[in-house]
Amino acid sequence: MRPRDTIAAVATAPGAGGIGIVRLSGADASAIARTLAAIDLQPRHAHYVAMRDARGELIDRGLALWFPAPHSFTGEDVVELQIHGAPVVLARLLARCIELGARHARAGEFSERAFLNGKIDLAQAEAIADLIAAQSDAQARAALRSLQGEFSARVNALLKSLIDARLHVEAAIDFPEEEIDFLADGQILARLDAIASSLDALLRDAERGQRLRDGLHAVIIGAPNAGKSSLLNALTGSDRAIVTDIAGTTRDLLREAVNIDGIEITLVDTAGLRESPDVIESEGIRRARNELAQADLAILVVAPDDEARIDTLRAEVPRGAAVLVVHNKSDLADRSAIERVDANDHVHVSAKTGVGLDGLRAAIRQHAGLGEGAEGSFSARARHVAALQRVRESLANARHRLVHDRAGELVAEELRLAQHALSEITGEFSSDNLLGVIFSSFCIGK
């Protein structure tokens, strides 16, 4: 249901000597502004006015701008009142707007109204919050691309293809008397495979967008004494991890945050993976494996005499996590290997001397979404990635039903589930609870 009342909020946090904005949205916005300023506002014109309280006393002089519906951010009548940014002055002006019939806006309510009035979709609304929270140029550019609709356009294109395939299946079910078996002619299977290919590309980009927004969770694993703790210290420029020649020194998880181009990388040092009779060390190894299960990136550290353990370490990495093999202690090995980054994600470094660390940082940067292709990234959230993963699962089920069962009804149901999961991203199918959680994370005035 579209709201009809008028809301008001301080839209910009005041700064010392800066400008403050009180924003109104709703059917009574222009009437409230007309009473405040004692003039009729012209659409999309800046008026220099005196704004007064109920007794006629001056609150402040500033600019009043009116954006009539539907040509505004929210799709409603919107008024912006720009005055000096002193908190007490802004509070007086906001209180006067409330006296005249507005109410205080909830967090994110302006963006919520824009969504409800069809001015933006849900992914674009979330991109507004991501743009405000951006801490780097890469994050800001990615959020702006989502706000401009790049992510939504790809979702909608995929959704159209999915609906077309679903209609084809439904037609085959509704007209079984036709001489042609539409489920067996290969067209639907080809469509599903094409959709799956486009989905995989979108999912990869969405995962990169999520890493740009949320940061990268990188877990360092390896055999005891491979130099994991030394590598953590070298990357963070600190002595946070205890380093000794005694195998099994690290017993618990050690976390450190590294900032690369404004993107936070969480590095987690773990106990060396091996079978151990020591109860405390065994608990550390258990925690290491639990942490690895949540990793975006597994950094496999091997010393020159550990090369044979690479496959064993890879087997510890859960599906979905990227792998970067770091050949440490290269100062003790062939010097020609130092500073080399192989195409298959093998990096050769010496944590002791620091040689090769720039190549390692570049490789981590690549996995964080800041490498090649980052310029085309859009911002995405965990819920977007989860929705796309559900779409992939439903598509795989639909393909299986088509190839092995020839069951049109079951194929159609899987495509329906995929359609709904995909539509959750842009908000075409979203529960009120989901909307409440999303918009409550916004700041007041947005």
Side-chain angles (χ1 to χ4, degrees):
M1 180 177 178
R2 294 182 180 180
R4 297 182 179 276
D5 56 349
T6 299
I7 56 175
V10 176
T12 303
I19 296 174
I21 298 176
V22 172
R23 180 175 294 156
L24 302 164
S25 182
D28 296 329
S30 61
I32 292 172
R34 186 165 55 249
T35 301
L36 269 170
I39 67 168
D40 289 330
L41 302 179
Q42 298 299 311
R44 292 172 296 280
H45 280 68
H47 301 266
Y48 183 65
V49 298
M51 303 174 206
R52 300 183 183 277
D53 63 17
R55 296 188 302 272
E57 294 182 2
L58 182 67
I59 297 174
D60 199 1
R61 295 182 186 273
L63 297 180
L65 299 95
W66 174 39
F67 304 92
H71 305 295
S72 69
F73 172 70
T74 63
E76 305 169 335
D77 279 2
V78 170
V79 170
E80 286 196 357
L81 305 171
Q82 302 180 9
I83 60 173
H84 294 97
V88 65
V89 179
L90 282 168
R92 287 185 63 200
L93 180 57
L94 181 59
R96 179 56 176 153
C97 292
I98 303 303
E99 287 177 2
L100 292 172
R103 67 167 173 81
H104 290 282
R106 303 188 312 272
E109 191 170 1
F110 285 87
S111 296
E112 182 180 4
R113 289 188 175 209
F115 166 71
L116 293 174
N117 290 322
K119 303 297 288 187
I120 55 176
D121 64 32
L122 197 54
Q124 289 174 296
E126 290 168 304
I128 295 171
D130 294 343
L131 184 59
I132 293 169
Q135 298 179 358
S136 70
D137 287 342
Q139 287 177 323
R141 287 193 296 268
L144 190 57
R145 273 187 284 272
S146 282
L147 179 56
Q148 291 173 331
E150 182 173 323
F151 182 26
S152 301
R154 292 181 62 181
V155 169
N156 288 331
L158 197 60
L159 185 59
K160 182 180 183 302
S161 298
L162 192 58
I163 292 173
D164 288 344
R166 183 182 172 192
L167 291 176
H168 197 135
V169 173
E170 297 281 1
I173 296 171
D174 291 340
F175 300 99
E177 70 280 359
E178 294 292 331
E179 295 182 2
I180 300 175
D181 184 354
F182 289 104
L183 294 179
D185 67 0
Q187 290 188 38
I188 295 179
L189 183 60
R191 287 190 182 195
L192 294 185
D193 288 343
I195 293 171
S197 178
S198 297
L199 174 65
D200 288 342
L202 181 58
L203 180 56
R204 285 194 299 270
D205 289 345
E207 288 171 338
R208 181 169 59 189
Q210 183 192 353
R211 289 194 296 270
L212 273 172
R213 177 184 181 272
D214 297 338
L216 185 75
H217 184 204
V219 177
I220 304 172
I221 65 170
N225 238 13
K228 301 183 299 299
S229 297
S230 296
L231 189 66
L232 176 73
N233 289 343
L235 287 171
T236 60
S238 68
D239 291 325
R240 286 279 285 124
I242 298 174
V243 177
T244 73
D245 292 331
I246 302 173
T249 300
T250 301
R251 300 296 185 94
D252 204 351
L253 305 177
L254 182 60
R255 304 173 191 272
E256 275 293 295
V258 179
N259 193 284
I260 299 178
D261 293 351
I263 305 299
E264 184 172 285
I265 314 296
T266 301
L267 294 172
V268 185
D269 186 21
T270 63
L273 300 181
R274 65 173 177 179
E275 297 299 323
S276 174
D278 186 285
V279 175
I280 297 177
E281 186 180 0
S282 294
E283 173 62 18
I285 293 169
R286 185 191 67 80
R287 294 186 183 187
R289 290 191 167 110
N290 286 344
E291 189 71 19
L292 185 59
Q294 307 170 45
D296 299 314
L297 173 66
I299 300 178
L300 279 53
V301 182
V302 293
D305 55 354
D306 290 333
E307 300 290 334
R309 300 188 184 183
I310 293 177
D311 288 341
T312 302
L313 291 172
R314 280 186 183 274
E316 296 273 1
V317 180
R319 181 183 176 185
V323 175
L324 181 61
V325 180
V326 177
H327 300 261
N328 193 23
K329 304 184 181 181
S330 292
D331 52 309
L332 303 179
D334 180 5
R335 295 193 59 83
S336 65
I338 300 178
E339 291 192 299
R340 191 175 79 240
V341 181
D342 297 340
N344 57 346
D345 275 340
H346 285 251
V347 183
H348 301 259
V349 306
S350 170
K352 180 179 180 180
T353 66
V355 175
L357 289 179
D358 286 343
L360 175 57
R361 291 190 183 96
I364 296 175
R365 182 179 184 275
Q366 177 86 16
H367 284 287
L370 294 171
E372 183 180 351
E375 288 302 314
S377 297
F378 51 79
S379 64
R381 297 188 170 200
R383 78 169 192 92
H384 303 150
V385 172
L388 291 172
Q389 289 171 339
R390 294 203 309 276
V391 175
R392 182 171 62 182
E393 181 180 355
S394 293
L395 276 176
N397 291 341
R399 193 183 196 285
H400 180 84
R401 297 295 189 186
L402 180 64
V403 173
H404 297 283
D405 302 329
R406 298 292 182 194
E409 291 84 357
L410 297 179
V411 174
E413 174 61 14
E414 292 293 349
L415 294 181
R416 184 190 68 82
L417 294 174
Q419 179 184 342
H420 278 237
L422 197 57
S423 298
E424 286 180 8
I425 295 175
T426 56
E428 184 177 346
F429 293 103
S430 295
S431 69
D432 290 339
N433 289 337
L434 174 62
L435 296 181
V437 169
I438 289 171
F439 286 109
S440 66
S441 66
F442 283 43
C443 60
I444 302 293
K446 292 296 180 185

